[in-house]
Amino acid sequence: MEISARNSLQTTVKQVVAGSVNTEVTLELAPGVEIVAIITKSSADKLGLVEGKQAYAVIKASDVIVAVD
């Protein structure tokens, strides 16, 4: 796989919650470190997302928000 995004994190699918239109996917980077994404149901089906499957979280830098207290 080659992509132009610089932020590609290898993960394991922890949970898949399918809705009628969208699917919520929880990806685990390490124990207790998770990323949650909402994607279309058809995309989740096409990717064959199931718990335990290896997947990549690809983050477009322009969409990442950083905050501090």
Side-chain angles (χ1 to χ4, degrees):
M1 172 182 71
E2 291 189 36
I3 56 175
S4 62
R6 293 184 184 185
N7 302 299
S8 178
L9 308 169
Q10 189 171 8
T11 69
T12 301
V13 177
K14 183 173 183 181
Q15 183 179 34
V16 178
V17 180
S20 57
V21 176
N22 291 323
T23 297
E24 180 179 298
V25 183
T26 302
L27 303 170
E28 186 175 57
L29 287 114
V33 181
E34 301 173 350
I35 296 174
V36 178
I38 304 293
I39 64 175
T40 62
K41 184 177 184 308
S42 61
S43 290
D45 293 344
K46 181 179 176 183
L47 292 170
L49 297 179
V50 293
E51 292 179 19
K53 183 172 184 162
Q54 297 296 301
Y56 290 88
V58 180
I59 302 167
K60 185 175 177 180
S62 61
D63 294 333
V64 174
I65 298 170
V66 177
V68 297
D69 259 341

Short mmCIF file of all heavy atoms in Angstrom, two decimals:
data_model
loop_
_atom_site.label_atom_id
_atom_site.label_comp_id
_atom_site.label_asym_id
_atom_site.label_seq_id
_atom_site.Cartn_x
_atom_site.Cartn_y
_atom_site.Cartn_z
N MET A 1 0.84 -1.17 0.00
CA MET A 1 0.00 0.00 0.00
C MET A 1 0.89 1.23 0.00
O MET A 1 1.78 1.35 0.84
CB MET A 1 -0.89 -0.01 1.25
CG MET A 1 -1.67 1.25 1.45
SD MET A 1 -2.68 1.27 2.94
CE MET A 1 -1.46 1.40 4.21
N GLU A 2 0.65 2.14 -0.91
CA GLU A 2 1.34 3.42 -0.92
C GLU A 2 0.29 4.51 -0.90
O GLU A 2 -0.66 4.49 -1.67
CB GLU A 2 2.22 3.55 -2.16
CG GLU A 2 3.42 2.62 -2.12
CD GLU A 2 4.40 2.91 -3.22
OE1 GLU A 2 4.59 4.09 -3.56
OE2 GLU A 2 4.96 1.94 -3.74
N ILE A 3 0.47 5.45 0.02
CA ILE A 3 -0.46 6.57 0.13
C ILE A 3 0.32 7.85 0.34
O ILE A 3 1.48 7.82 0.76
CB ILE A 3 -1.45 6.37 1.31
CG1 ILE A 3 -0.69 6.15 2.62
CG2 ILE A 3 -2.39 5.22 1.03
CD1 ILE A 3 -1.56 6.07 3.83
N SER A 4 -0.31 8.99 0.08
CA SER A 4 0.38 10.27 0.24
C SER A 4 0.31 10.79 1.67
O SER A 4 1.09 11.66 2.04
CB SER A 4 -0.22 11.31 -0.71
OG SER A 4 -1.59 11.52 -0.40
N ALA A 5 -0.59 10.27 2.49
CA ALA A 5 -0.71 10.73 3.87
C ALA A 5 0.52 10.31 4.67
O ALA A 5 1.02 9.21 4.51
CB ALA A 5 -1.98 10.17 4.51
N ARG A 6 0.99 11.18 5.54
CA ARG A 6 2.18 10.88 6.34
C ARG A 6 1.84 10.14 7.62
O ARG A 6 2.70 9.52 8.22
CB ARG A 6 2.90 12.18 6.70
CG ARG A 6 3.49 12.85 5.50
CD ARG A 6 4.26 14.07 5.92
NE ARG A 6 4.76 14.76 4.73
CZ ARG A 6 5.54 15.79 4.75
NH1 ARG A 6 5.93 16.29 5.91
NH2 ARG A 6 5.95 16.36 3.65
N ASN A 7 0.61 10.21 8.06
CA ASN A 7 0.22 9.63 9.34
C ASN A 7 -0.57 8.35 9.13
O ASN A 7 -1.79 8.36 9.01
CB ASN A 7 -0.60 10.64 10.15
CG ASN A 7 0.18 11.92 10.38
OD1 ASN A 7 1.23 11.89 11.00
ND2 ASN A 7 -0.32 13.02 9.86
N SER A 8 0.11 7.24 9.07
CA SER A 8 -0.50 5.93 8.88
C SER A 8 -0.09 5.05 10.05
O SER A 8 1.10 4.77 10.24
CB SER A 8 -0.02 5.33 7.56
OG SER A 8 -0.56 4.05 7.38
N LEU A 9 -1.07 4.63 10.85
CA LEU A 9 -0.80 3.88 12.07
C LEU A 9 -1.36 2.47 11.95
O LEU A 9 -2.55 2.29 11.66
CB LEU A 9 -1.44 4.58 13.27
CG LEU A 9 -1.09 6.06 13.43
CD1 LEU A 9 -1.98 6.70 14.48
CD2 LEU A 9 0.37 6.22 13.79
N GLN A 10 -0.53 1.47 12.16
CA GLN A 10 -1.00 0.09 12.11
C GLN A 10 -1.76 -0.21 13.39
O GLN A 10 -1.29 0.07 14.49
CB GLN A 10 0.15 -0.89 11.93
CG GLN A 10 -0.32 -2.30 11.66
CD GLN A 10 0.81 -3.23 11.27
OE1 GLN A 10 1.97 -2.88 11.34
NE2 GLN A 10 0.44 -4.42 10.87
N THR A 11 -2.96 -0.78 13.25
CA THR A 11 -3.83 -1.04 14.38
C THR A 11 -4.48 -2.41 14.27
O THR A 11 -4.31 -3.11 13.27
CB THR A 11 -4.96 0.00 14.46
OG1 THR A 11 -5.86 -0.20 13.36
CG2 THR A 11 -4.43 1.43 14.42
N THR A 12 -5.25 -2.74 15.30
CA THR A 12 -6.10 -3.93 15.29
C THR A 12 -7.53 -3.46 15.49
O THR A 12 -7.79 -2.61 16.36
CB THR A 12 -5.70 -4.90 16.42
OG1 THR A 12 -4.33 -5.27 16.25
CG2 THR A 12 -6.58 -6.14 16.41
N VAL A 13 -8.46 -3.99 14.71
CA VAL A 13 -9.87 -3.64 14.88
C VAL A 13 -10.34 -4.23 16.21
O VAL A 13 -10.25 -5.43 16.43
CB VAL A 13 -10.73 -4.17 13.71
CG1 VAL A 13 -12.20 -3.87 13.95
CG2 VAL A 13 -10.26 -3.59 12.38
N LYS A 14 -10.81 -3.36 17.09
CA LYS A 14 -11.27 -3.80 18.41
C LYS A 14 -12.78 -4.00 18.44
O LYS A 14 -13.27 -4.93 19.06
CB LYS A 14 -10.86 -2.78 19.47
CG LYS A 14 -11.24 -3.22 20.87
CD LYS A 14 -10.69 -2.28 21.92
CE LYS A 14 -11.03 -2.78 23.31
NZ LYS A 14 -10.50 -1.87 24.33
N GLN A 15 -13.52 -3.12 17.74
CA GLN A 15 -14.98 -3.21 17.76
C GLN A 15 -15.54 -2.61 16.48
O GLN A 15 -15.03 -1.62 15.96
CB GLN A 15 -15.53 -2.47 18.98
CG GLN A 15 -17.03 -2.57 19.14
CD GLN A 15 -17.49 -1.83 20.39
OE1 GLN A 15 -16.93 -0.81 20.77
NE2 GLN A 15 -18.53 -2.35 21.01
N VAL A 16 -16.62 -3.22 15.99
CA VAL A 16 -17.32 -2.73 14.81
C VAL A 16 -18.80 -2.66 15.17
O VAL A 16 -19.40 -3.68 15.52
CB VAL A 16 -17.11 -3.66 13.58
CG1 VAL A 16 -17.88 -3.15 12.39
CG2 VAL A 16 -15.64 -3.81 13.27
N VAL A 17 -19.36 -1.45 15.10
CA VAL A 17 -20.78 -1.26 15.40
C VAL A 17 -21.44 -0.72 14.14
O VAL A 17 -21.29 0.45 13.79
CB VAL A 17 -21.00 -0.30 16.58
CG1 VAL A 17 -22.49 -0.12 16.86
CG2 VAL A 17 -20.26 -0.79 17.82
N ALA A 18 -22.17 -1.60 13.45
CA ALA A 18 -22.81 -1.22 12.18
C ALA A 18 -24.17 -0.59 12.43
O ALA A 18 -24.96 -1.07 13.24
CB ALA A 18 -22.96 -2.44 11.29
N GLY A 19 -24.41 0.52 11.73
CA GLY A 19 -25.72 1.15 11.73
C GLY A 19 -26.35 0.95 10.37
O GLY A 19 -25.82 0.20 9.53
N SER A 20 -27.45 1.62 10.11
CA SER A 20 -28.12 1.45 8.83
C SER A 20 -27.37 2.14 7.70
O SER A 20 -27.43 1.70 6.55
CB SER A 20 -29.56 1.98 8.90
OG SER A 20 -29.56 3.34 9.29
N VAL A 21 -26.63 3.21 8.00
CA VAL A 21 -25.89 3.96 6.97
C VAL A 21 -24.40 3.98 7.27
O VAL A 21 -23.58 3.78 6.38
CB VAL A 21 -26.42 5.40 6.86
CG1 VAL A 21 -25.60 6.21 5.87
CG2 VAL A 21 -27.89 5.42 6.48
N ASN A 22 -24.03 4.23 8.53
CA ASN A 22 -22.63 4.34 8.93
C ASN A 22 -22.23 3.23 9.89
O ASN A 22 -23.08 2.60 10.52
CB ASN A 22 -22.38 5.69 9.62
CG ASN A 22 -22.49 6.86 8.66
OD1 ASN A 22 -22.09 6.76 7.51
ND2 ASN A 22 -23.03 7.96 9.13
N THR A 23 -20.92 3.03 10.01
CA THR A 23 -20.37 2.04 10.94
C THR A 23 -19.33 2.72 11.81
O THR A 23 -18.49 3.47 11.30
CB THR A 23 -19.74 0.87 10.17
OG1 THR A 23 -20.76 0.21 9.42
CG2 THR A 23 -19.08 -0.13 11.09
N GLU A 24 -19.39 2.48 13.12
CA GLU A 24 -18.38 3.00 14.05
C GLU A 24 -17.32 1.93 14.25
O GLU A 24 -17.65 0.79 14.62
CB GLU A 24 -19.03 3.35 15.39
CG GLU A 24 -18.05 3.90 16.40
CD GLU A 24 -18.73 4.25 17.71
OE1 GLU A 24 -19.61 5.13 17.70
OE2 GLU A 24 -18.37 3.64 18.73
N VAL A 25 -16.08 2.27 13.98
CA VAL A 25 -14.97 1.32 14.06
C VAL A 25 -13.99 1.80 15.13
O VAL A 25 -13.49 2.92 15.05
CB VAL A 25 -14.24 1.19 12.71
CG1 VAL A 25 -13.14 0.15 12.79
CG2 VAL A 25 -15.21 0.88 11.59
N THR A 26 -13.73 0.95 16.12
CA THR A 26 -12.73 1.26 17.14
C THR A 26 -11.47 0.50 16.79
O THR A 26 -11.48 -0.72 16.64
CB THR A 26 -13.23 0.85 18.54
OG1 THR A 26 -14.46 1.54 18.81
CG2 THR A 26 -12.20 1.21 19.60
N LEU A 27 -10.37 1.25 16.64
CA LEU A 27 -9.07 0.69 16.29
C LEU A 27 -8.14 0.82 17.49
O LEU A 27 -8.07 1.88 18.12
CB LEU A 27 -8.47 1.44 15.10
CG LEU A 27 -9.33 1.47 13.84
CD1 LEU A 27 -8.75 2.45 12.83
CD2 LEU A 27 -9.45 0.09 13.24
N GLU A 28 -7.42 -0.25 17.81
CA GLU A 28 -6.52 -0.25 18.96
C GLU A 28 -5.08 -0.20 18.49
O GLU A 28 -4.63 -1.08 17.76
CB GLU A 28 -6.77 -1.48 19.82
CG GLU A 28 -5.98 -1.48 21.10
CD GLU A 28 -6.35 -2.65 21.99
OE1 GLU A 28 -6.22 -3.81 21.54
OE2 GLU A 28 -6.76 -2.41 23.13
N LEU A 29 -4.35 0.85 18.92
CA LEU A 29 -2.93 0.98 18.59
C LEU A 29 -2.08 0.18 19.55
O LEU A 29 -1.08 -0.41 19.16
CB LEU A 29 -2.51 2.45 18.66
CG LEU A 29 -3.03 3.30 17.52
CD1 LEU A 29 -4.01 4.33 18.02
CD2 LEU A 29 -1.86 3.96 16.85
N ALA A 30 -2.44 0.21 20.82
CA ALA A 30 -1.76 -0.50 21.90
C ALA A 30 -2.80 -0.68 22.99
O ALA A 30 -3.84 -0.02 22.95
CB ALA A 30 -0.57 0.33 22.40
N PRO A 31 -2.56 -1.54 23.97
CA PRO A 31 -3.55 -1.71 25.03
C PRO A 31 -3.93 -0.36 25.66
O PRO A 31 -3.06 0.39 26.11
CB PRO A 31 -2.83 -2.61 26.04
CG PRO A 31 -1.88 -3.41 25.20
CD PRO A 31 -1.41 -2.44 24.15
N GLY A 32 -5.21 -0.04 25.60
CA GLY A 32 -5.72 1.21 26.17
C GLY A 32 -5.58 2.43 25.29
O GLY A 32 -5.99 3.52 25.67
N VAL A 33 -5.00 2.28 24.10
CA VAL A 33 -4.82 3.41 23.17
C VAL A 33 -5.65 3.12 21.93
O VAL A 33 -5.34 2.22 21.15
CB VAL A 33 -3.34 3.61 22.78
CG1 VAL A 33 -3.19 4.79 21.85
CG2 VAL A 33 -2.48 3.76 24.02
N GLU A 34 -6.75 3.88 21.77
CA GLU A 34 -7.71 3.60 20.70
C GLU A 34 -8.01 4.84 19.87
O GLU A 34 -7.88 5.97 20.34
CB GLU A 34 -9.02 3.09 21.31
CG GLU A 34 -8.86 1.83 22.12
CD GLU A 34 -10.13 1.44 22.85
OE1 GLU A 34 -11.10 2.23 22.89
OE2 GLU A 34 -10.15 0.33 23.41
N ILE A 35 -8.42 4.59 18.65
CA ILE A 35 -8.91 5.62 17.73
C ILE A 35 -10.27 5.13 17.25
O ILE A 35 -10.43 3.95 16.93
CB ILE A 35 -7.98 5.79 16.52
CG1 ILE A 35 -6.61 6.30 16.95
CG2 ILE A 35 -8.59 6.73 15.49
CD1 ILE A 35 -5.60 6.36 15.83
N VAL A 36 -11.24 6.04 17.21
CA VAL A 36 -12.58 5.67 16.73
C VAL A 36 -12.86 6.43 15.45
O VAL A 36 -12.61 7.63 15.36
CB VAL A 36 -13.66 6.00 17.79
CG1 VAL A 36 -15.04 5.65 17.26
CG2 VAL A 36 -13.37 5.25 19.09
N ALA A 37 -13.36 5.72 14.45
CA ALA A 37 -13.70 6.32 13.17
C ALA A 37 -15.14 5.97 12.80
O ALA A 37 -15.61 4.88 13.12
CB ALA A 37 -12.76 5.82 12.08
N ILE A 38 -15.81 6.90 12.15
CA ILE A 38 -17.13 6.65 11.58
C ILE A 38 -16.95 6.61 10.07
O ILE A 38 -16.48 7.58 9.47
CB ILE A 38 -18.12 7.77 11.95
CG1 ILE A 38 -18.21 7.97 13.46
CG2 ILE A 38 -19.49 7.48 11.33
CD1 ILE A 38 -18.82 6.82 14.22
N ILE A 39 -17.27 5.48 9.47
CA ILE A 39 -17.17 5.33 8.01
C ILE A 39 -18.50 4.81 7.49
O ILE A 39 -19.35 4.37 8.26
CB ILE A 39 -16.00 4.39 7.61
CG1 ILE A 39 -16.24 2.96 8.12
CG2 ILE A 39 -14.68 4.94 8.15
CD1 ILE A 39 -15.19 1.97 7.63
N THR A 40 -18.68 4.85 6.18
CA THR A 40 -19.93 4.35 5.63
C THR A 40 -20.01 2.84 5.84
O THR A 40 -19.00 2.14 5.88
CB THR A 40 -20.07 4.66 4.13
OG1 THR A 40 -19.02 4.00 3.42
CG2 THR A 40 -20.04 6.17 3.87
N LYS A 41 -21.23 2.37 5.96
CA LYS A 41 -21.45 0.93 6.14
C LYS A 41 -20.91 0.16 4.93
O LYS A 41 -20.29 -0.89 5.08
CB LYS A 41 -22.94 0.64 6.33
CG LYS A 41 -23.25 -0.81 6.63
CD LYS A 41 -24.74 -1.01 6.87
CE LYS A 41 -25.09 -2.42 7.27
NZ LYS A 41 -24.59 -3.46 6.40
N SER A 42 -21.11 0.71 3.74
CA SER A 42 -20.64 0.02 2.54
C SER A 42 -19.11 -0.07 2.52
O SER A 42 -18.55 -1.09 2.09
CB SER A 42 -21.17 0.68 1.26
OG SER A 42 -20.71 2.01 1.16
N SER A 43 -18.41 0.94 3.01
CA SER A 43 -16.95 0.90 3.07
C SER A 43 -16.49 -0.15 4.08
O SER A 43 -15.55 -0.90 3.83
CB SER A 43 -16.37 2.26 3.45
OG SER A 43 -16.55 3.17 2.40
N ALA A 44 -17.15 -0.21 5.23
CA ALA A 44 -16.79 -1.20 6.25
C ALA A 44 -17.00 -2.61 5.71
O ALA A 44 -16.17 -3.50 5.93
CB ALA A 44 -17.63 -0.99 7.51
N ASP A 45 -18.10 -2.82 4.99
CA ASP A 45 -18.37 -4.13 4.39
C ASP A 45 -17.32 -4.48 3.34
O ASP A 45 -16.81 -5.60 3.30
CB ASP A 45 -19.77 -4.16 3.76
CG ASP A 45 -20.88 -4.07 4.79
OD1 ASP A 45 -20.62 -4.30 5.99
OD2 ASP A 45 -22.02 -3.76 4.38
N LYS A 46 -16.97 -3.50 2.49
CA LYS A 46 -15.99 -3.73 1.43
C LYS A 46 -14.62 -4.09 2.01
O LYS A 46 -13.91 -4.94 1.46
CB LYS A 46 -15.87 -2.48 0.56
CG LYS A 46 -14.91 -2.60 -0.59
CD LYS A 46 -14.88 -1.32 -1.41
CE LYS A 46 -13.86 -1.40 -2.51
NZ LYS A 46 -13.76 -0.14 -3.27
N LEU A 47 -14.25 -3.45 3.14
CA LEU A 47 -12.97 -3.72 3.77
C LEU A 47 -12.98 -5.00 4.61
O LEU A 47 -11.93 -5.47 5.05
CB LEU A 47 -12.57 -2.54 4.67
CG LEU A 47 -12.24 -1.23 3.94
CD1 LEU A 47 -12.10 -0.10 4.94
CD2 LEU A 47 -10.98 -1.38 3.10
N GLY A 48 -14.16 -5.56 4.83
CA GLY A 48 -14.26 -6.78 5.62
C GLY A 48 -13.84 -6.59 7.06
O GLY A 48 -13.19 -7.46 7.65
N LEU A 49 -14.21 -5.45 7.65
CA LEU A 49 -13.78 -5.14 9.01
C LEU A 49 -14.49 -6.02 10.03
O LEU A 49 -15.70 -6.05 10.12
CB LEU A 49 -14.05 -3.67 9.32
CG LEU A 49 -13.28 -2.67 8.47
CD1 LEU A 49 -13.65 -1.24 8.85
CD2 LEU A 49 -11.78 -2.89 8.58
N VAL A 50 -13.69 -6.75 10.80
CA VAL A 50 -14.18 -7.58 11.89
C VAL A 50 -13.18 -7.47 13.05
O VAL A 50 -12.01 -7.13 12.83
CB VAL A 50 -14.34 -9.07 11.48
CG1 VAL A 50 -15.43 -9.24 10.45
CG2 VAL A 50 -13.03 -9.64 10.97
N GLU A 51 -13.64 -7.76 14.25
CA GLU A 51 -12.76 -7.70 15.41
C GLU A 51 -11.54 -8.60 15.21
O GLU A 51 -11.66 -9.72 14.72
CB GLU A 51 -13.53 -8.11 16.66
CG GLU A 51 -14.59 -7.12 17.07
CD GLU A 51 -15.37 -7.56 18.29
OE1 GLU A 51 -14.90 -8.42 19.05
OE2 GLU A 51 -16.47 -7.01 18.49
N GLY A 52 -10.37 -8.06 15.55
CA GLY A 52 -9.13 -8.82 15.44
C GLY A 52 -8.38 -8.63 14.13
O GLY A 52 -7.22 -8.99 14.03
N LYS A 53 -9.04 -8.06 13.13
CA LYS A 53 -8.39 -7.85 11.83
C LYS A 53 -7.38 -6.70 11.92
O LYS A 53 -7.61 -5.73 12.61
CB LYS A 53 -9.43 -7.54 10.76
CG LYS A 53 -8.84 -7.39 9.37
CD LYS A 53 -9.90 -7.27 8.30
CE LYS A 53 -9.22 -7.23 6.94
NZ LYS A 53 -10.15 -7.53 5.87
N GLN A 54 -6.26 -6.84 11.24
CA GLN A 54 -5.28 -5.77 11.16
C GLN A 54 -5.79 -4.71 10.19
O GLN A 54 -6.35 -5.04 9.14
CB GLN A 54 -3.92 -6.30 10.68
CG GLN A 54 -3.30 -7.31 11.64
CD GLN A 54 -2.97 -6.68 12.98
OE1 GLN A 54 -2.22 -5.74 13.07
NE2 GLN A 54 -3.56 -7.23 14.04
N ALA A 55 -5.60 -3.44 10.55
CA ALA A 55 -6.04 -2.33 9.70
C ALA A 55 -5.12 -1.14 9.96
O ALA A 55 -4.36 -1.13 10.93
CB ALA A 55 -7.49 -1.96 10.01
N TYR A 56 -5.19 -0.15 9.10
CA TYR A 56 -4.42 1.07 9.26
C TYR A 56 -5.35 2.23 9.53
O TYR A 56 -6.40 2.35 8.90
CB TYR A 56 -3.60 1.38 8.00
CG TYR A 56 -2.46 0.42 7.77
CD1 TYR A 56 -2.65 -0.75 7.06
CD2 TYR A 56 -1.21 0.69 8.28
CE1 TYR A 56 -1.61 -1.64 6.85
CE2 TYR A 56 -0.16 -0.20 8.09
CZ TYR A 56 -0.36 -1.36 7.37
OH TYR A 56 0.67 -2.23 7.19
N ALA A 57 -4.96 3.09 10.46
CA ALA A 57 -5.64 4.36 10.68
C ALA A 57 -4.82 5.38 9.90
O ALA A 57 -3.65 5.60 10.21
CB ALA A 57 -5.69 4.71 12.16
N VAL A 58 -5.42 5.97 8.88
CA VAL A 58 -4.72 6.96 8.06
C VAL A 58 -5.32 8.32 8.42
O VAL A 58 -6.52 8.54 8.25
CB VAL A 58 -4.89 6.67 6.56
CG1 VAL A 58 -4.16 7.71 5.74
CG2 VAL A 58 -4.38 5.27 6.24
N ILE A 59 -4.49 9.20 8.94
CA ILE A 59 -4.96 10.49 9.43
C ILE A 59 -4.43 11.60 8.54
O ILE A 59 -3.22 11.75 8.37
CB ILE A 59 -4.50 10.72 10.88
CG1 ILE A 59 -5.03 9.59 11.76
CG2 ILE A 59 -4.96 12.09 11.38
CD1 ILE A 59 -4.42 9.52 13.12
N LYS A 60 -5.33 12.36 7.97
CA LYS A 60 -4.95 13.49 7.14
C LYS A 60 -4.62 14.66 8.08
O LYS A 60 -5.45 15.06 8.89
CB LYS A 60 -6.09 13.87 6.19
CG LYS A 60 -5.72 14.96 5.23
CD LYS A 60 -6.85 15.19 4.25
CE LYS A 60 -6.49 16.36 3.34
NZ LYS A 60 -7.55 16.62 2.38
N ALA A 61 -3.41 15.16 7.99
CA ALA A 61 -2.93 16.16 8.94
C ALA A 61 -3.84 17.38 9.04
O ALA A 61 -3.99 17.96 10.11
CB ALA A 61 -1.52 16.59 8.57
N SER A 62 -4.49 17.77 7.97
CA SER A 62 -5.35 18.95 8.02
C SER A 62 -6.60 18.71 8.85
O SER A 62 -7.31 19.65 9.20
CB SER A 62 -5.74 19.39 6.61
OG SER A 62 -6.45 18.35 5.96
N ASP A 63 -6.89 17.47 9.21
CA ASP A 63 -8.08 17.15 9.99
C ASP A 63 -7.77 16.79 11.43
O ASP A 63 -8.66 16.36 12.15
CB ASP A 63 -8.86 16.00 9.34
CG ASP A 63 -9.43 16.38 7.99
OD1 ASP A 63 -9.68 17.57 7.76
OD2 ASP A 63 -9.63 15.49 7.18
N VAL A 64 -6.54 16.93 11.88
CA VAL A 64 -6.18 16.60 13.25
C VAL A 64 -6.23 17.88 14.08
O VAL A 64 -5.65 18.90 13.70
CB VAL A 64 -4.77 15.97 13.34
CG1 VAL A 64 -4.36 15.78 14.78
CG2 VAL A 64 -4.74 14.67 12.57
N ILE A 65 -6.93 17.84 15.21
CA ILE A 65 -7.02 18.99 16.11
C ILE A 65 -6.22 18.66 17.36
O ILE A 65 -6.36 17.58 17.93
CB ILE A 65 -8.48 19.29 16.46
CG1 ILE A 65 -9.26 19.65 15.18
CG2 ILE A 65 -8.59 20.40 17.50
CD1 ILE A 65 -10.75 19.73 15.38
N VAL A 66 -5.38 19.58 17.79
CA VAL A 66 -4.56 19.39 18.98
C VAL A 66 -5.01 20.42 20.02
O VAL A 66 -5.23 21.59 19.71
CB VAL A 66 -3.06 19.60 18.67
CG1 VAL A 66 -2.22 19.49 19.92
CG2 VAL A 66 -2.61 18.60 17.62
N ALA A 67 -5.18 19.98 21.28
CA ALA A 67 -5.61 20.87 22.34
C ALA A 67 -4.83 20.58 23.62
O ALA A 67 -4.32 19.48 23.81
CB ALA A 67 -7.10 20.69 22.61
N VAL A 68 -4.69 21.59 24.47
CA VAL A 68 -4.07 21.43 25.78
C VAL A 68 -4.90 22.19 26.81
O VAL A 68 -5.67 23.08 26.47
CB VAL A 68 -2.61 21.96 25.79
CG1 VAL A 68 -1.74 21.18 24.84
CG2 VAL A 68 -2.56 23.43 25.44
N ASP A 69 -4.73 21.81 28.07
CA ASP A 69 -5.40 22.53 29.16
C ASP A 69 -4.52 23.63 29.67
O ASP A 69 -3.34 23.55 29.74
CB ASP A 69 -5.70 21.56 30.32
CG ASP A 69 -7.15 21.12 30.31
OD1 ASP A 69 -7.98 21.79 29.68
OD2 ASP A 69 -7.41 20.09 30.95
#
